[in-house]
Amino acid sequence: MDSVGIANSYVAMTQAQTGQALQSEMMKMAAQQDANLVALLQQGAENLQSMQSAPPPGMGARVDVTA
């Protein structure tokens, strides 16, 4: 194998490693975004449940139909 072939092999190997590292980092970022979205949805669901379980004082317990 001549020096040009060795250099081409090294460049190809380096490019492949860089591509894999970038893909890995992008997948980590996507997973973190998904985790953040899930946490936001869970927080919203918890807030909704707490609001539905007990209305604030003076609201929703009785309806005045005497009028």
Side-chain angles (χ1 to χ4, degrees):
M1 191 176 235
D2 62 344
S3 61
V4 174
I6 293 171
N8 285 338
S9 296
Y10 177 74
V11 168
M13 181 181 65
T14 304
Q15 286 177 341
Q17 287 176 342
T18 302
Q20 288 177 348
L22 287 172
Q23 284 179 335
S24 175
E25 189 62 32
M26 288 171 55
M27 289 180 72
K28 287 178 186 177
M29 290 171 63
Q32 183 62 41
Q33 289 175 346
D34 290 346
N36 289 343
L37 179 60
V38 167
L40 182 64
L41 290 173
Q42 285 178 338
Q43 183 181 13
E46 289 170 0
N47 287 342
L48 182 62
Q49 286 177 349
S50 67
M51 292 181 75
Q52 287 178 343
S53 63
M59 295 195 63
R62 296 186 189 132
V63 178
D64 185 10
V65 292
T66 59

